[in-house]
Amino acid sequence: EYYLRKLTSVAVKLSQAMPYLVSAIAAAQGIASVEELQGNDECQSSSSMNIQMKLSIVRLDHSIAEIKKTSPGIGVGSLSRAVLDDLSCQSATGEPASRKWLSFARNTSCNFNLKEELIKKIMRYVKEPDRWTAFSSLLLKSIAFHRHIDPSMSVDVSAIVLPVIDLPRTKFNRPFLPQTVTGNSSRRVTDEEVEECRESVMSISHQFPYLCMIHKQRSDHTSTQLPHDMLGCDVVMFEPRLNEYSPTISDFLKPFVGCFTSCEWQAISNDASLRPRSDDSIVKEFYLRWAMKEAYTKALGVGLYVDFDSFEIRLIGHDVDSTNIEGDWKPRGSLWGSITTDLHHCNSNGQVEHQVSFVGQVMRMREPRSDAKSDAVQNGYWVFTFVPLVDGLDNNSKEPDNSTISGCICICKGPFDEEADAATSSKSIVNIENLTLLELIQMHGKETLI
């Protein structure tokens, strides 16, 4: 019985380590990719049918309470140091063993300088919630990297210790999953030398108490670029930030008027009868339209480095008719009302998931200003998916209502050349997983907090 348990444990560890072993063999034989080792023709034949898109959501306030209940008195500083000490940390731009970035299980030695740098980035924030957000974001992005290696990675305690991976960033400070590296593999390379992976893409966003990440990848390890591989997400909470300088909703919104076109702001501020919206309604409309803009610019890879008023997003069937997309906007009800009319979809496991998708057309409205840092706006069709954040609701129990919804996630993917193609893509359901900070730690292979 003793040897049987030992053999079972070894079998589990081998199954989880298999993607890394295959990569190491490929590197040793000078093979450019895992597909060549496994049989490229077989992989390519089914590649178009094996695309996964998963939205990971972490409720940070609940996660922090869970951790402090498990380990009273522990703080984010001591926890982050303990986790990075035990798991080790590694840069995604350091010590590649092959042209593919699939070799990290063989080297889990902790980079001391990197560890101190990561802890410093976490602790530089003054407010405690921001520190917890930074630490959780680091772990969630690391999970995206490991899932790029092994798409079948589960939410269980990993049988092997996985290092915490620090992802490279673009010149616009966007984190990305790396694919190849140029230069001498004996040195750490810079982010600019790293090629971004196009068969596995991700985008992350946070607004306390939520952290979310959308990740789209092929599940069969093929190296074929994803179709419509631009992907962005943004999370917003329906809470106006009122203070002594902005005591009213109007005062709060005034600085943002210039970020929208006149038609967009009309849709935010007025209802279908062109009457001013209530404070609650205008706040929701503002945040939803803002989330669309930010998710779109994050999909482009530039974020806030592009002028938001230089482009307009028209939701087909809501803002404009499909028969006259470039025509005048039609006064309609609230966007939030359209989102909440039909919230229930079921995933492949039969679980109820709350999401609604629209096809939108992005139109450039003017040329960028001379001091603009980016001119990345692309006309075309995009899919915008909205996932309301529901408080205290069992997904299998009842319908959400406005009293249980505190915010919303917007996901943008594209571009599409034809409206029909975007409409077809809008019918696909995003798989949603709710994670805790403790699960993110355990997924790296650390069973205890301290």
Side-chain angles (χ1 to χ4, degrees), residues 124-181:
R124 67 181 175 179
Y125 295 99
V126 175
K127 296 182 179 179
E128 193 77 1
D130 295 333
R131 293 177 175 179
W132 284 103
T133 300
F135 176 50
S136 304
S137 177
L138 171 66
L139 295 179
L140 187 56
K141 287 179 288 190
S142 178
I143 290 298
F145 181 90
H146 290 297
R147 280 181 168 168
H148 170 45
I149 297 172
D150 179 13
S152 64
M153 182 180 182
S154 67
V155 191
D156 300 321
V157 178
S158 175
I160 57 176
V161 176
L162 300 174
V164 175
I165 301 298
D166 182 36
L167 295 182
R169 291 176 177 268
T170 68
K171 65 178 181 179
F172 296 109
N173 203 36
R174 177 177 63 85
F176 65 90
L177 296 169
Q179 170 130 334
T180 62
V181 63

Side-chain angles (χ1 to χ4, degrees), residues 306-322:
V306 67
D307 295 330
F308 274 23
D309 67 329
S310 66
F311 64 94
E312 183 173 273
I313 302 176
R314 301 178 166 209
L315 297 182
I316 299 171
H318 179 81
D319 299 325
V320 294
D321 294 327
S322 58

Side-chain angles (χ1 to χ4, degrees), residues 51 198-201 216-218 224-229:
I51 297 176
R198 301 317 306 174
E199 64 264 21
S200 183
V201 294
K216 182 179 180 182
Q217 69 179 122
R218 294 193 180 279
T224 307
Q225 179 172 329
L226 286 167
H228 320 298
D229 63 337

